[in-house]
Amino acid sequence: MVYINDVRTSNTNYKPISSGIVALFVGGTSGVGKGTLKQLAKYASDPTLYIVGRSQSSAAPLLKELQTLNSHATINFIETEISLIRNVDKVSEELKEKETKIDLLFLSTGYLTLEGRKETIEGIDTLSSLSYYARLRLVHCLLPLLVAAPSPRVISVLAGGRERGFDVDDLEMRRNLTVVQRICTAATQTTLVFEELAKFHPTITFCHMHPGYVNTGQLDRFMQTASGVWTVPALVARWTIVPILGLFGRTVEEAGEWGVFIATSAMYLPALPKDAENVGVSLPRGVGVANASIVIDGRGNGVYRLDKFGDGVTNEFDSVLADYRVDEMGKRVWEGTLAVWDRALERAG
C-alpha cells in the first residue's frame, strides 16, 4: 500500500517531467475531479488544462484559483451539457482542432439521486450517460490524441473493484433500477470496455478508480432528493449518518493528491509502453507496479481497478468479471454502447 506522504512526494517529483502536458477534465468543477485538477495545476510545470462544465460563470472562482496556483498554466473552459452525446462530439472536435495529443483524460461526472430513470433529450438515462455513456464516448472520440501522447492515461472515477453482475438483456438500464444498480452496472461495463479498448490501444493506461468516501457534499445532496415515505429517513440520515461519515472521509484536497498520483506514477503501466523510461514518476521505495485487471505470463493488460489507496484490486468480484470474459461480454457491451450512441445522435438530428 502507498501512503499519503509517499503520494505527495511522488507528485512533487512530477514537475521536472511534466513539461507540455495536456489534460482534459470532465467533472472537474466539483468533487474528486476538482481536487485532482487543482493539485495537478500545482504540481505540473506548464500544463494545458481543459475543463468541461455547464457554466463558465459558476466556474470563474475555480479558474482564477487555478491560474493563481500556476501562472504558467494555460486554462481553457468549455461550457456545455456533457450528458448529451452530440455535445461530447463537439468537445472532441474542438480538442482535435487545438491539440496534437492528450496526456490525461480524467472523467468524474455524475451525481446521486433517489429518482428513477430520467432521460436526456437523446433518450439516454441521464445518470447512466454521465457515469458511462458520455465518458466512454469521450474516450472513443479522443483515442487519436491519446495514442499520440508519449504515456497517455484515462481515469474514470466511479466504482473500480466494485463490479457486479447485471441484466445482460437490459444493458441500457431501461428498467426502473435503483441508483446503486445503475452505478454498479455502469461500473462493470466500464471495466469490461476498458479491457476491450486496451486490446487495440496497448500504449494507453486505463484506470477505473474507486475513491472511497470523499467529503464532497454529494451524499447530503443525494438525501435531499428523497420524497414520499423516504423524506423523514433521509432527513434523519442527513443529521446523523452523513456527519459521522464525514469524520472518516477524505477531504477533496487529499482525494486530489491521490488522483494526481494515479495520473502520473509509474505504478500504472500500459500493456505496451512506447518508452520504458518514460512511464511516469519513479515508484516509491518498496512499491511495485499495481495489479492489472488481467495478467498473462507476467504481463498486465494496462487496465487497473483501483481502490482508494491506488492499489490494484483483487476481491470477491473478480469471479463476476472472469465469467463475463469467458462469454466475451466486453465485446457485447461495447457493441451495445455503439448502438446507443448511434440512436442518440439520430434522435438529436
Side-chain angles (χ1 to χ4, degrees), residues 3-254:
Y3 296 96
I4 187 61
N5 288 339
D6 291 326
V7 166
R8 292 190 174 109
T9 299
S10 178
N11 293 346
T12 300
N13 292 335
Y14 178 57
K15 181 161 289 195
I17 64 171
S18 66
S19 181
I21 68 155
V22 179
L24 171 63
F25 283 79
V26 185
T29 57
S30 63
V32 178
K34 179 179 180 179
T36 303
L37 173 62
K38 289 168 61 176
Q39 297 294 352
L40 185 65
K42 180 177 73 174
Y43 286 118
S45 59
D46 55 348
T48 297
L49 304 173
Y50 289 89
I51 305 103
V52 174
R54 284 178 293 181
S55 172
Q56 184 161 355
S57 60
S58 297
L62 171 61
L63 302 180
K64 183 178 180 180
E65 183 179 5
L66 293 172
Q67 207 68 72
T68 301
L69 286 168
N70 190 336
S71 60
H72 299 290
T74 301
I75 313 296
N76 303 278
F77 190 88
I78 302 175
E79 187 176 67
T80 192
E81 175 49 67
I82 203 63
S83 65
L84 300 178
I85 302 304
R86 64 185 180 189
N87 289 348
V88 172
D89 288 0
K90 290 177 182 177
V91 170
S92 300
E93 288 305 312
E94 181 173 341
L95 267 291
K96 290 176 182 177
E97 291 175 1
K98 293 181 177 179
E99 302 295 340
T100 58
K101 68 179 178 74
I102 291 180
D103 300 279
L104 172 64
L105 177 54
F106 198 95
L107 307 165
S108 58
T109 49
Y111 64 100
L112 297 175
T113 179
L114 287 168
E115 298 175 349
R117 181 183 177 91
K118 186 176 181 181
E119 293 187 354
T120 69
I121 59 174
E122 295 177 337
I124 302 176
D125 174 55
T126 303
L127 178 60
S128 301
S129 182
L130 290 173
S131 59
Y132 175 73
Y133 287 105
R135 294 190 190 193
L136 268 294
R137 181 69 175 185
L138 272 165
V139 177
H140 175 62
C141 291
L142 294 175
L143 281 170
L145 295 185
L146 288 163
V147 170
S151 185
R153 289 192 190 178
V154 174
I155 299 175
S156 186
V157 180
L158 191 60
R162 297 293 187 272
E163 297 85 355
R164 305 291 204 283
F166 54 79
D167 186 346
V168 298
D169 296 318
D170 186 31
L171 296 179
E172 294 183 52
M173 295 171 277
R174 289 192 170 277
R175 301 190 178 113
N176 193 25
L177 301 178
T178 67
V179 62
V180 174
Q181 289 172 312
R182 287 144 79 194
I183 290 175
C184 287
T185 297
T188 307
Q189 290 180 322
T190 295
T191 296
L192 290 172
V193 170
F194 273 5
E195 291 179 350
E196 283 297 303
L197 292 175
K199 294 176 185 177
F200 301 98
H201 306 282
T203 62
I204 302 174
T205 294
F206 295 89
C207 296
H208 183 187
M209 171 186 173
H210 184 281
Y213 183 73
V214 181
N215 292 319
T216 63
Q218 187 177 80
L219 185 57
D220 185 65
R221 293 190 294 273
F222 169 59
M223 296 299 177
Q224 293 180 49
T225 66
S227 60
V229 297
W230 294 106
T231 303
V232 173
L235 183 62
V236 172
R238 286 185 64 199
W239 291 103
T240 56
I241 298 175
V242 173
I244 292 172
L245 286 174
L247 295 175
F248 301 96
R250 281 180 176 163
T251 64
V252 170
E253 289 72 22
E254 185 177 345

Side-chain angles (χ1 to χ4, degrees), residues 298-325:
R299 177 180 167 183
N301 65 339
V303 177
Y304 299 90
R305 304 157 58 225
L306 302 176
D307 63 16
K308 67 178 183 178
F309 296 111
D311 289 324
V313 173
T314 301
N315 58 19
E316 66 273 20
F317 303 118
D318 293 359
S319 60
V320 173
L321 293 172
D323 290 341
Y324 282 147
R325 291 176 190 128

